[in-house]
Each structure stands twice: as structure tokens, then as C-alpha cells.
Amino acid sequence: MPRIPPTARKGLLTLHLVTSLGWLGTDLVLLTLGIAVQRGADPAAVYPVTALVGTVLFAPLSVLVWLIGVASALLTPWGLLRYRWVLVKLVLTTVMVGLVLFLLTPNLRHAGALGAALPARDRADLVIAPAVSTSLLIIATVLSTYKPWGRRPAARAVIASRDRTTTRI
């Protein structure tokens, strides 16, 4: 797999951090708006804003974070499947992007269209989904910071094999 120079790697990491922070920030805005409605704010005013934020910021940022994260993994020594923490982050992010695109975004648009007519159980979903998403994004951040679990066993075998081959040459 091609590797990129250190300056390009830092640029890619910076882009990943900026988009990830944008995704987390937008998630917190959605959570705040959902809580505001639960505490008595006018749903006719809040839900159209929620739909706009979800459609214009949240969904595109989730896709960008996933794409940049995959590119970072493939173009740096971390690899996509070499370390367990990278694999867990990939799975978490992939599931979250799917939920954002196919479940949350349509629900936000629906809430924006209905406003105050949105049923109470659907209003609760607009608090629960961003709360869960925020928690998962924090878990992904912790994984990136602490990098637990080391290499996957299969990755160790491939690297050891590669090291033995280059030693003989």
C-alpha cells in the first residue's frame, strides 16, 4: 500500500480531526435542539432548524469523516485492518454513517415538515439518537487517543513474515 510523506499525513490527520470535531459539534447541536423541544421550546420553530442542520451539516460531515478516516488508514502505517482499535473505529463509524444517512436524516426531515404535529415518541427519538451518536463519537476519540489492544494476530504474522523476507535480501 502506498505511503504518503509526513507533511501530507499531518494534513490528512488535521482534515480528519477538523471534520470529526465538526461532526461531534453538529451532533451536540442536534442533541441540544432535541432537548430544547423536550423542555418546552416551540417544535414548529426548532424542528425545521434541526432538519436543516442534519441535512446540510450532519450527514455530509459523517460521510467526510468516514472517507478521510479510510484514506488515512490506507495511506499511513496504521493500516485499515492491522490494529484492533482502527478496526473498531471503522465499524463504529460505518454503522453510525449508515444510521445517519438512512434513519436519522429522514427522521429529521420528517420532523422539520411536521413541526408541532410530530408525535411525542418521535420527539424522544430526536434526543436519543444524538445522545447515542455523541457517546459513540467520544468512544472513537478515546480509541484514537489511547490506541488499545495492539496489532491483530493476523497482522502480526504478515509483518513478521515481511520482516523475515526483507532480512534475507
Side-chain angles (χ1 to χ4, degrees), residues 62-98:
S62 68
V63 173
L64 273 174
V65 167
W66 188 88
L67 289 172
I68 294 166
V70 168
S72 294
L74 292 174
L75 297 173
T76 65
W78 294 114
L80 195 56
L81 304 174
R82 184 175 292 163
Y83 291 89
R84 286 185 184 106
W85 68 270
V86 176
L87 184 59
V88 170
K89 275 187 64 178
L90 175 65
V91 169
L92 277 177
T93 307
T94 302
V95 168
M96 286 175 34
V97 169

Side-chain angles (χ1 to χ4, degrees), residues 155-167:
R156 274 190 226 126
V158 169
I159 291 168
S161 170
R162 192 179 329 144
D163 289 345
R164 282 191 296 267
T165 305
T166 50
T167 307

Side-chain angles (χ1 to χ4, degrees), residues 111-128:
L114 290 181
L118 188 70
R121 66 177 167 74
D122 292 340
R123 292 180 186 193
D125 288 345
L126 297 180
V127 174
I128 294 168

Side-chain angles (χ1 to χ4, degrees), residues 33-153:
L33 291 170
I35 290 171
V37 170
Q38 295 292 326
R39 298 198 58 173
D42 181 12
V46 173
Y47 285 147
V49 173
T50 303
L52 182 66
V53 168
T55 304
V56 173
L57 285 176
F58 197 63
L61 280 170
S62 68
V63 173
L64 273 174
V65 167
W66 188 88
L67 289 172
I68 294 166
V70 168
S72 294
L74 292 174
L75 297 173
T76 65
W78 294 114
L80 195 56
L81 304 174
R82 184 175 292 163
Y83 291 89
R84 286 185 184 106
W85 68 270
V86 176
L87 184 59
V88 170
K89 275 187 64 178
L90 175 65
V91 169
L92 277 177
T93 307
T94 302
V95 168
M96 286 175 34
V97 169
L99 291 173
V100 165
L101 295 179
F102 300 112
L103 190 62
L104 183 59
T105 303
N107 288 347
L108 293 173
R109 287 187 186 130
H110 181 67
L114 290 181
L118 188 70
R121 66 177 167 74
D122 292 340
R123 292 180 186 193
D125 288 345
L126 297 180
V127 174
I128 294 168
V132 169
S133 180
T134 296
S135 300
L136 293 175
L137 288 170
I138 291 169
I139 289 169
T141 303
V142 169
L143 290 174
S144 294
T145 304
Y146 289 94
K147 299 172 181 49
W149 308 312
R151 285 192 173 131
R152 291 181 52 237

